[in-house]
Amino acid sequence: MPPTVQVGAILIEEWPLMTQVLGLESEPYSGNWSLVKVLDGFALDRKVRASGWNLFFMAAEVKTMFLGALGAKKIENALKRILAKVKQQHFNGLEVTEIVAKRFLGVPYTIVSAHSRHVQQSCYLDGDKARRDSRHNAEWARG
């Protein structure tokens, strides 16, 4: 079972070069996405910049909602839906920014919000094609 995710958690799409260069401690979460241990967004940014790489924060928020009470499995499913959206944009990171349980007419529901993150060497954010190509090269290197 994947680890429990809380607000502030960072998920990174694993690929060998990034793991070697950044020396991140992480645990598998879903597919080739891993949950970064111990670090929040600010600590991760400092570590990435210290290694000579750059960590970008995308202002656009990605949200999903589910009905029912708050639970680890439901949050995991919501994050899988968010990760599918992020994957289409070819970003390699995600920061969970909000998990809010609410009620409407007595029916419980939860909104999970996140922001895309992207780790790369260049200080200018790569375009969609370059991010897609780097993901393809990372998958090829993985085998």
Side-chain angles (χ1 to χ4, degrees):
M1 181 168 170
T4 304
V5 172
Q6 299 176 353
V7 172
I10 304 281
L11 295 160
I12 294 285
E13 187 175 31
E14 289 289 332
W15 51 278
L17 181 61
M18 185 185 342
T19 305
Q20 289 174 356
V21 171
L22 302 179
L24 298 176
E25 282 188 55
S26 61
E27 52 188 301
Y29 185 74
S30 174
N32 58 341
W33 290 86
S34 295
L35 181 64
V36 177
K37 291 182 179 182
V38 183
L39 299 177
D40 63 6
F42 297 112
L44 179 63
D45 186 52
R46 285 191 301 273
K47 187 167 190 155
V48 168
R49 291 188 189 281
S51 69
W53 285 46
N54 294 283
L55 177 65
F56 294 90
F57 179 88
M58 305 306 136
E61 190 173 49
V62 184
K63 291 184 177 187
T64 191
M65 182 193 80
F66 61 85
L67 295 174
L70 191 61
K73 187 66 177 169
K74 288 187 176 187
I75 291 173
E76 178 187 344
N77 290 336
L79 281 174
K80 284 181 181 179
R81 294 195 324 245
I82 290 174
L83 288 171
K85 293 177 185 179
V86 170
K87 187 173 183 176
Q88 292 173 356
Q89 299 169 340
H90 308 289
F91 294 122
N92 59 16
L94 184 79
E95 181 175 356
V96 178
T97 54
E98 191 173 51
I99 301 173
V100 180
K102 297 183 174 190
R103 289 186 171 276
F104 180 73
L105 299 175
V107 177
Y109 68 97
T110 302
I111 298 172
V112 179
S113 303
H115 286 266
S116 297
R117 295 289 210 137
H118 191 70
V119 177
Q120 67 179 41
Q121 285 181 292
S122 173
C123 63
Y124 301 105
L125 181 63
D126 288 340
D128 188 53
K129 184 182 181 327
R131 289 193 313 265
R132 182 177 55 245
D133 291 347
S134 69
R135 171 178 280 169
H136 174 72
N137 292 338
E139 289 172 0
W140 180 80
R142 232 184 269 127

